[in-house]
Each structure stands twice: as structure tokens, then as C-alpha cells.
Amino acid sequence: MNRLQKLTLLVTVFLLSSGCTALLRTPSQSDSSISASTPTSNPKQLATSDSTQPVENPINSQPEQTTGEIAPQYLEISQRVQARVPNQELRQNNTDLNQLYEAAAVADVELQSITQELAKATQGTVVIPPGGLKDRERAEEKIMVDYGGDASRITDLARIALEYETLDQIYNALETVVDRTETLRFKDRFIKPTPGGYRDLLLNLKMPNGHIAELQITLRSLNEARFSQGHKLYEEARGIQAKAMMDGRELTPEESQRIEMLTQESEQLYGEAFARAMKQQPVSP
């Protein structure tokens, strides 16, 4: 039994023993959001026993309210793209993580090639994540915490980013990306940022070998904030949740408080980065 299978077994045993059978999801059940199933005493992170949705990660989930900071022309472009994209529940074509990594390695070569072409066409900068494919340990943790052990739901083993200086450039690039790729899902996190304050355009693309990859389109200032500190805050919060789940217990008050503090730090970090970008290069009227 490999590490992921052991983690999945621990999650299943915990959910069954705690009566949280609503969190044991079948492939036919729909859930289009990125979320986490960690038990917690914080109402913002707790799923009720009759809920059909896992608990959302407090730093990286997507709220319902809009920011009010996006100009009407960008909202119009976003809505136009939303109408073109299926935005269906996404699953890879198998559940074996080893095979998924093999497919991701093939897809990543094509993803980088396509993104380089898109960058040239839209005056963007390609940002390749350090290390290439998603770290194996992080992937296993995400599968356990966010997807209840279902490896087919992870869609960012192969991922890349396009970086721009202004929102004008970002939204002009968006339609070009959708025109030239097979886009399966689109989230506008400038309109609906994560609770941790991170903003981007998040797209999932179907690659020629059938593997689903991730493309982020974001501001340079936000990307710099993420690499300098933001991702560390996110990973610490996820690690606290994962430990509680593996221990088969709820978050302690101290852990809940720490996650709340991390979320607030993240909000401030990205809020300041976004404000700097808007001040330096105001959006077009």
C-alpha cells in the first residue's frame, strides 16, 4: 500500500467513524469548487453532517461576493468567456497518481509550448513553477484534504502562469487564450478573489493527450507576492488541516486561530499588492 492509499484509508476510516458519510463522494456527485474536507471547530470551515460539499480551504476557496473593484468592460469580457466555457466538474481519465504524473509530464511539454506562443501574441511573460510538475507530497496532501482521496480530481499537476502588468493586458489576453485552447473551466478570481485575497484568472485546459492542466493569468505584483510569502501562508494553513485530518480530530482552538491569522495576513499581502498595481498603472476608463 503506497502513501496516498494509506492517507485515503485514514480519511475514509475517520469519516465513517465520525458519521460524516456525506463527505464520502461518488464520481457521479458534482462539485465544481476547489475545497477541503478537514474537520474544524471554526464555523467558517465546518461542514454540517448533512452537507454534500467538503469544507473549503479558508485561504484558497472562492466566495460568492464580488469585489466591486473591476471595471465594467472587464466584467463584460469575463461574462462573455464564461458563456463559452463548459465549466463542468473536472476529472482526469484515471485515479492512479503514478499514471497521472506520467500523463502530466507529457502534457507539460505541450503546455509550455502553447503558453510561450500565447505570451508572444499577448505581450505576456511565461512563469514556470519551480520544480516543474507539482510536488508529489503536496499533490497527495491536496488529494486527501480537498478531494477525499480521489486522485482523478486533481487538475494542477501540470501548471503554468501568464503574467502581465495591467488588467487591460490580462483581459485582452483572456479571449485569445480561450480562442486558441480547449478550455474546460474558467474562474475569474479578480471578480471573486479567494478569502485569502489572491486574484487571477484560473483556466483548466485539456491537452492533446487528454490530461487536464492549469493556466493562471495574473498580475506581476500578485505573482511576486505569492512567491515571496503568500504561498507559504497557504501551505501552512493546509498543513494544519491535513494534520488534524490524519489525527482523526477537529482543529484545536489554537489551530483555528492560527488559520484565521494566516488568512488575514494573506488578505493584507495580496490586497496591498493589488493596490500597488492599480495605483501604478490605473485601469482604462
Side-chain angles (χ1 to χ4, degrees), residues 201-213:
L201 303 179
L202 183 66
L203 298 93
N204 290 109
L205 313 178
K206 186 174 182 179
M207 307 311 296
N209 68 341
H211 188 82
I212 301 171

Side-chain angles (χ1 to χ4, degrees), residues 21-266:
T21 55
L23 298 182
L24 298 177
R25 304 169 60 81
T26 64
S28 62
Q29 291 174 293
S30 175
D31 179 10
S32 60
S33 65
I34 296 177
S35 54
S37 54
T38 306
T40 170
S41 58
N42 189 323
K44 291 177 65 177
Q45 301 139 16
L46 180 63
T48 58
S49 59
D50 59 351
S51 171
T52 59
Q53 300 288 340
V55 181
E56 294 185 341
N57 183 287
I59 289 185
N60 201 39
S61 57
Q62 187 161 322
E64 294 300 323
Q65 71 274 13
T66 60
T67 69
E69 300 179 36
I70 301 301
Q73 66 267 30
Y74 304 141
L75 179 60
E76 181 181 348
I77 294 172
S78 181
Q79 291 173 337
R80 192 158 62 233
V81 169
Q82 287 283 6
R84 296 176 57 187
V85 175
N87 281 321
Q88 59 197 13
E89 181 183 1
L90 299 184
R91 292 183 184 276
Q92 305 286 5
N93 56 17
N94 67 65
T95 60
D96 184 278
L97 191 55
N98 290 326
Q99 293 182 26
L100 288 176
Y101 265 101
E102 291 175 3
V106 174
D108 193 52
V109 175
E110 185 68 20
L111 179 63
Q112 292 188 31
S113 175
I114 291 172
T115 308
Q116 292 287 355
E117 294 177 5
L118 289 168
K120 291 178 182 178
T122 60
Q123 291 74 56
T125 301
V126 177
V127 180
I128 300 173
L133 297 181
K134 191 178 190 72
D135 177 76
R136 178 72 179 237
E137 183 177 348
R138 297 302 184 192
E140 291 178 349
E141 188 177 85
K142 184 172 185 176
I143 291 167
M144 178 187 70
V145 174
D146 287 8
Y147 304 136
D150 184 355
S152 72
R153 293 180 59 197
I154 192 165
T155 56
D156 64 344
L157 296 181
R159 73 266 199 250
I160 203 165
L162 278 171
E163 188 179 84
Y164 299 89
E165 297 288 346
T166 68
L167 287 180
D168 266 341
Q169 293 172 327
I170 280 178
Y171 281 93
N172 287 336
L174 174 60
E175 290 192 284
T176 300
V177 170
V178 175
D179 286 341
R180 299 189 182 189
T181 65
E182 185 175 352
T183 304
L184 301 179
R185 184 167 62 185
F186 165 59
K187 294 182 181 181
D188 191 330
R189 299 195 296 193
F190 287 104
I191 294 176
K192 295 180 180 179
T194 72
Y198 187 69
R199 299 161 169 86
D200 65 4
L201 303 179
L202 183 66
L203 298 93
N204 290 109
L205 313 178
K206 186 174 182 179
M207 307 311 296
N209 68 341
H211 188 82
I212 301 171
E214 180 180 282
L215 170 63
Q216 296 181 348
I217 307 176
T218 192
L219 289 167
R220 184 184 305 277
S221 62
L222 290 169
N223 226 18
E224 290 174 348
R226 181 175 63 156
F227 283 117
S228 68
Q229 183 65 19
H231 197 65
K232 295 177 183 177
L233 299 173
Y234 169 72
E235 290 292 349
E236 183 178 346
R238 182 188 292 280
I240 293 171
Q241 292 179 310
K243 186 177 187 306
M245 176 173 284
M246 291 187 66
D247 291 346
R249 59 173 176 80
E250 295 185 351
L251 293 173
T252 66
E254 292 77 14
E255 288 172 330
S256 295
Q257 184 179 20
R258 180 57 181 164
I259 288 177
E260 182 64 27
M261 290 177 61
L262 292 167
T263 303
Q264 292 174 1
E265 287 182 41
S266 180

